[in-house]
Amino acid sequence: MHKAGFVNIIGNPNVGKSTLMNAFVGEKLSIITSKAQTTRHRILGIVNGEDFQIILSDTPGIIKPAYELQESMMDFVKSAFDDADVLIYMVEIGEKALKDDAFFNKITNSKIPVLLLLNKIDMSNQEFLEEQVQEWSLKVPNAEIFPVSALEGFNVKEVFSRIIEILPESPPFYPKDQLTDKPERFFVNETIREKILMHYKKEIPYAVEIDTEEFFEEENIIRMRSVIMVERDTQKGIIIGHKGSALKRVGIESRKDLEKFFGKQVHLELYVKVNKNWRSDQRQLKRFGYNQK
Ligand SMILES: Nc1nc2c(ncn2[C@@H]2O[C@H](COP(=O)(O)OP(=O)(O)O)[C@@H](O)[C@H]2O)c(=O)[nH]1
Ligand SMILES: [Mg+2]
């Protein structure tokens, strides 16, 4: 008997959704930072076994959209309800509730099995943990609750086993050697964006989109050229930094990560371009892989 299905991870920003997905897949498919809105897309991570295939989706954290890009991000979250066989609703220790009632009601009324993962328990104590489990079991009575630490891998295996139990009988949806639905260039873009989230402040990371124009694999090296797009001239200056030092750091750190990810030497050329208001431009958003409508 072969089991397969879709397991979709949703929750507030910054609760550890991407960390969990990477822990399951065993690869860094989703970038992780301590900032909200690190994840902008719905990313599939496929875990293959002899007699199962789990297709996980990592989604952006749930927010009230303020501009077109964020609306498209929330469409990715909505789509995660449509095809799920299992919903993972992730919350973190001490968190109150989803800020969005509509999403919250969808979870509590879900016909699909819901696993509520109470994450970051490495930062808690037993007493508070028990209190929290109690509280969540009242709030989401249709869920099975698992206290976990996605970062330290605590209880992650148990969740994994439970998912396999619940999954329907089905042939695989993807070839058994496939790890994700995203092309190689996507991971180049995301790696660079992670460094920008890490090293620049305030609105800068939110004004940035990456476009990898060239990805050319030779026998011993992969050559890439990527554009860092910003919305204004002043942002361009900040990205580049004094004598190019800030941009250089982004390049060096990205290249190191990409060499690890692809298992090959990487040559990465970066440049910065102003692209006014790309975040509110439907046509451009589409080109960058947002807007699924
Ligand atoms: N202490 C602790 N931190 C975690 C855990 N899981 C994730 N984090 C941290 O929480 C932050 C947000 O993680 P991320 O996976 O990007 O959250 P997402 O926005 O829900 O995808 C990062 O700084 C992670 O290192 C955990 O189990 N314990
Ligand atoms: Mg994320």
Side-chain angles (χ1 to χ4, degrees):
M1 185 180 75
H2 190 277
K3 290 182 151 196
F6 291 82
V7 179
N8 301 344
I9 312 169
I10 55 172
N12 272 336
N14 225 19
V15 294
K17 299 178 295 301
S18 298
T19 306
L20 177 79
M21 154 111 145
N22 292 345
F24 271 144
V25 183
E27 291 275 346
K28 194 176 163 190
L29 289 184
S30 279
I31 59 169
I32 293 165
T33 78
S34 56
K35 289 183 184 165
Q37 298 180 54
T38 298
T39 307
R40 286 179 179 172
H41 296 261
R42 180 174 170 185
I43 303 162
L44 299 192
I46 306 168
V47 188
N48 290 299
E50 187 82 1
D51 52 2
F52 68 85
Q53 179 170 70
I54 304 178
I55 304 143
L56 295 147
S57 325
D58 185 18
T59 61
I62 294 169
I63 48 166
K64 292 263 182 231
Y67 43 88
E68 292 284 339
L69 169 65
Q70 294 185 335
E71 286 199 11
S72 164
M73 285 162 57
M74 290 311 102
D75 287 340
F76 286 127
V77 183
K78 282 180 201 142
S79 77
F81 281 93
D82 299 336
D83 58 17
D85 294 295
V86 181
L87 267 184
I88 291 188
Y89 174 29
M90 189 172 243
V91 300
E92 65 183 329
I93 205 99
E95 175 185 320
K96 288 285 168 274
L98 267 184
K99 283 153 202 123
D100 190 307
D101 288 339
F103 276 116
F104 189 72
N105 291 335
K106 262 181 127 164
I107 294 167
T108 51
N109 293 316
S110 166
K111 301 263 183 297
I112 311 159
V114 179
L115 307 183
L116 191 153
L117 270 49
L118 181 52
N119 191 31
K120 308 196 186 179
I121 61 166
D122 52 286
M123 303 207 300
S124 178
N125 59 48
Q126 193 59 27
E127 198 187 342
F128 188 53
L129 177 59
E130 280 168 20
E131 232 172 77
Q132 291 266 293
V133 170
Q134 179 62 17
E135 220 174 276
W136 280 108
S137 65
L138 295 174
K139 266 194 260 187
V140 194
N142 55 321
E144 285 174 51
I145 300 180
F146 291 83
V148 300
S149 169
L151 192 66
E152 297 185 354
F154 180 78
N155 238 356
V156 170
K157 259 206 202 109
E158 285 72 9
V159 175
F160 195 86
S161 308
R162 185 66 188 124
I163 290 171
I164 292 177
E165 276 174 22
I166 306 172
L167 279 189
E169 222 181 304
S170 160
F173 292 86
Y174 292 89
K176 279 286 182 93
D177 57 357
Q178 194 171 333
L179 200 69
T180 180
D181 63 325
K182 292 277 183 280
E184 288 157 324
R185 284 170 202 240
F186 175 80
F187 297 100
V188 181
N189 298 346
E190 289 290 273
T191 303
I192 297 165
R193 208 164 56 76
E194 181 186 61
K195 303 309 167 209
I196 288 173
L197 277 152
M198 282 163 60
H199 295 312
Y200 299 88
K201 289 195 219 73
K202 292 182 187 152
E203 94 289 359
I204 296 280
Y206 303 99
V208 163
E209 177 67 20
I210 317 292
D211 186 16
T212 296
E213 296 178 323
E214 196 180 286
F215 184 100
F216 186 69
E217 188 156 4
E218 294 172 18
E219 202 178 325
N220 298 315
I221 194 167
I222 312 175
R223 296 184 191 279
M224 312 168 185
R225 189 180 65 238
S226 308
V227 194
I228 300 173
M229 266 167 311
V230 291
E231 293 201 307
R232 289 196 297 274
D233 285 317
T234 47
Q235 293 165 343
K236 180 174 173 175
I238 294 169
I239 292 279
I240 293 170
H242 181 62
K243 290 186 178 162
S245 59
L247 183 61
K248 194 169 168 195
R249 174 160 79 164
V250 169
I252 291 171
E253 292 183 6
S254 300
R255 179 173 51 76
K256 281 190 187 146
D257 279 13
L258 288 166
E259 288 185 338
K260 229 185 267 160
F261 187 77
F262 290 110
K264 209 163 180 178
Q265 201 185 331
V266 163
H267 180 269
L268 173 65
E269 191 186 321
L270 282 180
Y271 65 100
V272 189
K273 206 161 100 180
V274 178
N275 181 346
K276 291 209 166 74
N277 298 323
W278 66 266
R279 277 190 293 183
S280 311
D281 182 336
Q282 292 279 3
R283 254 190 49 234
Q284 298 214 51
L285 286 172
K286 201 161 188 164
R287 190 164 83 75
F288 302 139
Y290 303 101
N291 266 323
Q292 14 173 39
K293 273 175 253 170

